[in-house]
Amino acid sequence: MPDLTRSPAWQALHNHFEQVRHLHMRDLFTQDPKRFQRYSIKLEDFLLDYSKNRITDETESLLLELARDRDVPGWITRMFNGEKINHTEDRAVLHIALRNRANRPILVDGRDVMPEVNAMLEKMRSFCDAIHSQKWRGYTGQPIKDVVNLGVGGSDLGPMMATQALHPYASRDVSVHFVSNVDENHINNTLDNLKPETTLFIIASKSFTTQDTLVNADTAREWFLQASNDTSAIAKHFVAVSNNVAAASAFGIDEQNIFKMWDWVGGRYSLWSTVGLSLAMAIGMDNFEEMLAGAHDMDEHFRTAPLEQNMPVIMALLGIWYNNFFNAQSYAVLPYDQHLRFLPDYLRQADMESNGKSVTRDGEQVDYSTGPVLFGQLGITGQHAFYQLMHQGTKLIPADIIASITNLRCISSHHRMLMANVFAQAEAFMRGKTEDEARAELEAQGITGEQLNVLLPNKIFAGNKPSNMILYHTLNPRNLGRLIALYEHKFFVQGVIWNINSYDQWGVELGKQLAQTVLGELDQDDEVTSHDCSTNGLINYYKSWRSKKV
Ligand code: F6P
């Protein structure tokens, strides 16, 4: 297979780009009244409308040709068959097994992983039931009222985002909190409102070596022991989720209370595993399994739909189109749903840790752009903040707009107003406002002459800003599962096309290594000279001020 940028499929796209780069979507819509029907895909109530993209039929077919040329179908099969596609860690990539509700055997090293997956789900169910039914009680005999998940990155963002997303499904008897930051303010502020006798900690760490999580776990244990003064009570208040059972046991967690995860689940893909225990505690196992079912719907769609009808594939190809041909450096995820406020944070890790790579699977330096900068916020908040740049700035920022057709508590005009903004913003991004339209509006307001000339250029919107729209009936567990799985597979397809390994994360290691060295130096009072002059200067400045009162 020739290198990506020298492949005929890439070259064809390159030539095509020169022909279509100036086409305006406004004209494409005028020419084709069926554009919406032709460029949208449905999975029951879950809709992806990608008609507001800078593509023609030829663009789409050339992008699909690129996907075939890079053997996307073969890679999909490899992933679902449990092949070790994470080659730098010699691991299979099987988050899809965690939500394999069809229970189709999935073999790793010749062994079906499904019995273990199902057993762990059963273990999660019994534990959640014991907490909710108050059979499991704390050391004073009182029921558990608060659950604190101690984890970071994939061991925090997924369950935290989903707990917020599914807030209407949450139990009123048990509150779930998330502590991730090594900054002690995070844990202290959380513990301030809790009682040790009614609090359960979940230490969630795949590796059980992550400093941030372990230091928070130590602090939690100290806080707990100050009240209970009894180490044997720890078993009733601390459980762990980890792939490193030995380290979790060494921390003092009863082996029965360790919820195992597997090395074939990447941290940022682990929401579906025992890392979801805190979420399951919040929403109950039935809802948790419904979310798995939603992800499985998307997995089946991804596995079986033809490329041209395949949502993750289409979203991935559109991303490549902007990233590699229009040279867009970023894209925005804009949920119009208060419950999805942490979705951009979650997807930021999923995308940027997966595809923030510059070495191919063959160990070569890439000569093309890979993963973009993902940013985002609640769309409605963004409208009053950074949309200005998206509408009239100099950068091309493709966007995904996400909304539900109805809100579980749809009791007033709020949701209609929200939806009006959803549709209006996507339309504004696409069509913009021409000079003639802007002029007519100003004249209708009685503005003429010099004042009009000054204002006019500022009132023009170039438009032609691409956006995808994802719409579904309700943000229920099933649709949340579908939504997250859609993005996971999108990132996978992009990684395949860029020929990078989306499942390792070596780039996070250097900072961790250096922090260990610096930590040792911070423990001593003498002057540090072992780094460059900036790092030495900063450390020494910190040391000179840390014991002073101001
Ligand atoms: O430092 C990055 C990272 O390894 C992520 O990939 C991971 O999600 C996070 O840290 C937490 O890791 P662990 O679950 O092993 O504590």
Side-chain angles (χ1 to χ4, degrees):
M1 200 187 284
D3 291 350
L4 178 62
T5 50
R6 279 174 285 285
S7 68
W10 190 272
Q11 287 299 325
L13 273 163
H14 186 75
N15 297 338
H16 172 71
F17 171 70
E18 293 304 328
Q19 289 157 20
V20 297
R21 60 192 298 183
H22 297 301
L23 292 184
H24 200 294
M25 283 190 276
R26 213 178 317 138
D27 301 323
L28 297 176
F29 272 96
T30 310
Q31 287 154 18
D32 179 6
K34 290 234 162 25
R35 198 172 159 86
F36 170 71
Q37 282 89 337
R38 288 193 312 109
Y39 292 145
S40 55
I41 306 175
K42 285 189 211 108
L43 181 59
E44 294 178 17
D45 60 309
F46 193 101
L47 169 83
L48 167 68
D49 164 32
Y50 64 100
S51 59
K52 292 193 185 77
N53 278 289
R54 294 170 69 169
I55 55 168
T56 63
D57 283 353
E58 193 182 351
T59 320
E60 190 177 42
S61 75
L62 290 173
L63 285 167
L64 289 165
E65 191 45 43
L66 177 70
R68 283 185 211 102
D69 180 63
R70 297 290 112 182
D71 193 25
V72 167
W75 281 97
I76 295 175
T77 306
R78 263 165 241 153
M79 177 165 80
F80 279 83
N81 283 353
E83 282 185 34
K84 295 192 175 172
I85 59 173
N86 175 358
H87 68 292
T88 59
E89 295 180 312
D90 193 30
R91 289 175 184 164
V93 174
L94 281 182
H95 40 283
I96 50 109
L98 301 166
R99 60 230 190 178
N100 174 14
R101 308 308 287 163
N103 216 15
R104 207 167 41 85
I106 297 182
L107 307 183
V108 175
D109 293 328
R111 212 163 58 92
D112 184 10
V113 298
M114 290 315 299
E116 263 187 81
V117 167
N118 293 330
M120 208 42 75
L121 283 171
E122 269 319 301
K123 182 168 168 152
M124 286 171 73
R125 181 176 284 279
S126 330
F127 186 60
C128 287
D129 287 352
I131 297 282
H132 286 137
S133 66
Q134 305 191 349
K135 272 199 205 117
W136 180 294
R137 289 177 176 248
Y139 73 100
T140 61
Q142 294 184 63
I144 298 296
K145 293 270 173 225
D146 292 281
V147 172
V148 184
N149 187 80
L150 305 173
V152 72
S155 299
D156 165 69
L157 285 167
M160 197 260 292
M161 174 277 295
T163 301
Q164 294 293 331
L166 299 175
H167 175 73
Y169 297 82
S171 142
R172 306 232 173 272
D173 303 328
V174 178
S175 304
V176 179
H177 315 262
F178 293 87
V179 172
S180 57
N181 199 335
V182 74
D183 177 348
E184 66 207 67
N185 289 319
H186 199 181
I187 190 152
N188 285 341
N189 293 349
T190 307
L191 296 182
D192 276 351
N193 302 314
L194 305 183
K195 293 188 182 138
E197 58 274 23
T198 54
T199 300
L200 176 90
F201 293 94
I202 301 175
I203 309 173
S205 175
K206 178 180 171 184
S207 59
F208 224 84
T209 57
T210 304
Q211 212 179 45
D212 322 43
T213 301
L214 296 184
V215 79
N216 278 325
D218 282 339
T219 300
R221 185 169 53 183
E222 234 170 78
W223 174 82
F224 174 76
L225 285 174
Q226 256 169 26
S228 68
N229 207 16
D230 174 9
T231 47
S232 72
I234 286 180
K236 294 194 165 95
H237 292 266
F238 285 80
V239 302
V241 169
S242 188
N243 179 38
N244 187 349
V245 174
S249 308
F251 180 87
I253 310 279
D254 194 330
E255 208 157 313
Q256 286 187 62
N257 298 337
I258 300 174
F259 292 78
K260 196 171 157 23
M261 59 186 294
W262 299 270
D263 67 355
W264 41 257
V265 186
R268 54 195 173 274
Y269 298 91
S270 64
L271 165 66
W272 326 97
S273 73
T274 47
V275 165
L277 185 62
S278 47
L279 168 65
M281 205 67 90
I283 62 172
M285 258 329 260
D286 288 346
N287 285 319
F288 184 79
E289 289 188 353
E290 186 62 11
M291 184 185 77
L292 300 184
H296 182 62
D297 291 343
M298 189 55 74
D299 293 344
E300 286 304 278
H301 166 81
F302 180 54
R303 195 171 67 81
T304 60
L307 294 187
E308 57 277 14
Q309 280 298 312
N310 197 310
M311 287 191 208
V313 171
I314 293 290
M315 277 181 68
L317 292 172
L318 290 167
I320 301 245
W321 180 231
Y322 298 118
N323 188 71
N324 295 95
F325 295 92
F326 283 86
N327 202 20
Q329 299 293 311
S330 60
Y331 80 100
V333 173
L334 307 171
Y336 278 74
D337 188 326
Q338 183 66 19
H339 290 146
L340 285 180
R341 65 189 176 280
F342 294 120
L343 182 71
D345 306 58
Y346 171 74
L347 292 178
R348 189 175 308 126
Q349 183 196 10
D351 195 348
M352 294 171 73
E353 205 168 59
S354 296
N355 287 339
K357 314 280 164 68
S358 52
V359 171
T360 68
R361 288 185 158 269
D362 317 302
E364 312 258 310
Q365 202 64 34
V366 296
D367 60 357
Y368 42 85
S369 173
T370 59
V373 175
L374 186 160
F375 78 103
Q377 198 177 23
L378 291 176
I380 209 81
T381 312
Q383 283 179 211
H384 301 282
F386 58 85
Y387 275 33
Q388 166 65 39
L389 186 149
M390 295 178 72
H391 281 296
Q392 287 190 317
T394 55
K395 302 195 165 47
L396 180 71
I397 306 180
D400 292 345
I401 296 174
I402 302 168
S404 66
I405 290 162
T406 181
N407 186 327
L408 276 182
R409 283 191 274 183
C410 211
I411 46 169
S412 66
S413 57
H414 287 234
H415 199 70
R416 241 177 335 128
M417 214 178 274
L418 186 74
M419 293 309 290
N421 281 278
V422 166
F423 301 129
Q425 286 296 334
E427 186 179 22
F429 283 139
M430 184 276 284
R431 68 181 317 284
K433 190 184 282 179
T434 63
E435 184 175 338
D436 286 349
E437 288 167 343
R439 183 188 300 280
E441 263 182 30
L442 288 170
E443 285 172 352
Q445 291 162 28
I447 299 169
T448 54
E450 190 46 29
Q451 201 192 356
L452 185 143
N453 289 339
V454 169
L455 280 179
L456 187 59
N458 300 287
K459 298 279 187 173
I460 296 167
F461 289 64
N464 222 8
K465 316 283 190 221
S467 67
N468 293 314
M469 176 81 70
I470 298 171
L471 267 186
Y472 40 78
H473 184 267
T474 317
L475 183 62
N476 52 30
R478 194 146 196 143
N479 277 327
L480 182 69
R482 290 169 173 168
L483 181 66
I484 304 303
L486 167 63
Y487 277 96
E488 288 177 344
H489 296 320
K490 171 195 165 181
F491 306 147
F492 170 52
V493 171
Q494 294 191 323
V496 167
I497 292 176
W498 289 321
N499 191 24
I500 54 179
N501 179 1
S502 301
Y503 298 108
D504 59 12
Q505 56 285 319
W506 300 107
V508 301
E509 295 304 326
L510 176 59
K512 288 186 194 173
Q513 267 170 14
L514 295 182
Q516 281 299 346
T517 311
V518 175
L519 187 60
E521 291 166 342
L522 296 187
D523 287 342
Q524 335 250 302
D525 283 331
D526 43 336
E527 196 181 329
V528 169
T529 55
S530 57
H531 307 267
D532 60 90
C533 69
S534 165
T535 309
N536 286 338
L538 290 166
I539 294 174
N540 291 327
Y541 184 75
Y542 162 78
K543 286 187 176 195
S544 70
W545 276 92
R546 67 178 164 184
S547 50
K548 291 193 181 131
K549 289 214 160 48
V550 284

